[in-house]
Amino acid sequence: MTEQNARDTDEPPLAFTDASYAFGDVTVLKEASVELQSGNFTALVGPNGSGKTTLLELFAGLRSLDTGTVTRPTASGRTVAYLPQTPGFRSGFTVRETLGFYTDLVEDSADPDSLLGEVGLNDAAARGVDELSGGMTRLLGIAQALIGDPPVVILDEPTSGLDPDVADHIFDVIESVASDGRLVVTASHDLAAIETRADRALFLSNGEFVLDDDPKRILEATDTETLREAFATVFRTETSGVTRPGANGGER
């Protein structure tokens, strides 16, 4: 495995070339290549167990490819931020104190209140992190990810298990972060939101990107009306072993 740096604006900030990686019995990547662009909200889509979280960790540099080349941005300071599905913060501190601790670690970072404003947590600045709802905790995690103004922000299932209104707000924040010129990559099962909000969707299946396009063009390519239908069409063979309860309590 080799690593390269994206040294100018003509190069993608994040890319794999002939990348392969296996995790246990799961082939996450199999000689796959992809280039992701700045100012773009890219959503990673795939069935449970397909390796989406592992792929995000490969993008973020938390894991190393078995073979192939990865390209990441080069700059002084922080270049790639990663937020896991369930971020955790040390108890006993307020939201502002928590974010202030991390901003103090990064040179030339924005002040905590500015970052809290960017994700809509101004009114919760004095609240203890133990008192936050699941959505607020995710938003604090996104604020933390923005410290140092990294050109790439990677989010793993940032709206999983959240109420629709909270999930909508988080997607608003994600779109805003991407509109500032950053690349935002997120894994998500919220196909309705991806369909209307993402600039690009990557369908991961058996180690390959089987679909890679604007969601609207994916609907055209799969002759479907919704991304949920496209998902069912593409991954039907992978999920065909799942049994569902019938109306009479049996299986169908």
Side-chain angles (χ1 to χ4, degrees):
M1 186 275 296
T2 58
E3 296 192 19
Q4 297 182 159
N5 293 320
R7 299 186 180 280
D8 57 63
T9 56
D10 293 331
E11 294 186 19
L14 203 59
F16 286 149
T17 305
D18 298 327
S20 295
Y21 184 85
F23 182 74
D25 295 332
V26 177
T27 298
V28 179
L29 290 174
K30 183 169 56 181
E31 297 182 355
S33 297
V34 67
E35 294 183 353
L36 306 183
Q37 303 298 331
S38 299
N40 190 280
F41 170 20
T42 296
L44 180 63
V45 176
N48 289 330
S50 59
K52 297 185 298 298
T53 293
T54 302
L55 178 56
L56 295 182
E57 292 172 349
L58 289 165
F59 275 137
L62 301 177
R63 298 178 184 268
S64 297
L65 294 172
D66 293 333
T67 61
T69 300
V70 57
T71 301
R72 297 191 187 90
T74 179
S76 58
R78 200 176 187 201
T79 57
V80 179
Y82 173 78
L83 180 68
Q85 182 175 344
T86 53
F89 300 99
R90 187 176 178 182
S91 63
F93 294 91
T94 68
V95 168
R96 183 185 287 109
E97 288 170 340
T98 297
L99 204 56
F101 170 80
Y102 291 108
T103 56
D104 287 345
L105 299 177
V106 179
E107 188 176 353
D108 298 326
S109 61
D111 68 89
D113 289 322
S114 174
L115 291 170
L116 292 176
E118 194 164 348
V119 300
L121 282 182
N122 309 71
D123 293 340
R127 187 178 301 186
V129 293
D130 302 312
E131 304 169 18
L132 298 180
S133 65
M136 287 181 172
T137 300
R138 303 277 178 85
L139 288 167
L140 179 57
I142 294 175
Q144 180 190 12
L146 297 180
I147 293 173
D149 194 22
V152 177
V153 177
I154 298 174
L155 311 172
D156 190 5
E157 293 283 357
T159 63
S160 176
L162 300 181
D163 292 339
D165 286 347
V166 178
D168 283 344
H169 175 67
I170 288 179
F171 275 112
D172 288 341
V173 172
I174 291 172
E175 286 187 291
S176 176
V177 170
S179 69
D180 283 343
R182 301 181 187 92
L183 165 63
V184 181
V185 186
T186 178
S188 177
H189 288 291
D190 192 340
L191 298 178
I194 291 171
E195 180 180 331
T196 58
R197 293 173 176 267
D199 300 303
R200 182 177 179 182
L202 294 173
F203 279 46
L204 178 67
S205 176
N206 295 320
E208 300 178 352
F209 297 115
V210 293
L211 285 175
D212 174 8
D213 213 331
D214 175 284
K216 292 182 177 60
R217 287 195 287 268
I218 286 178
L219 300 186
E220 295 173 1
T222 56
D223 193 24
T224 55
E225 295 185 358
T226 67
L227 209 60
R228 183 181 180 88
E229 292 178 6
F231 181 95
T233 298
V234 172
F235 299 116
R236 183 174 294 124
T237 56
E238 293 187 33
T239 58
S240 59
V242 177
T243 54
R244 299 180 182 180
N248 61 359
E251 293 179 346
R252 63 182 180 185

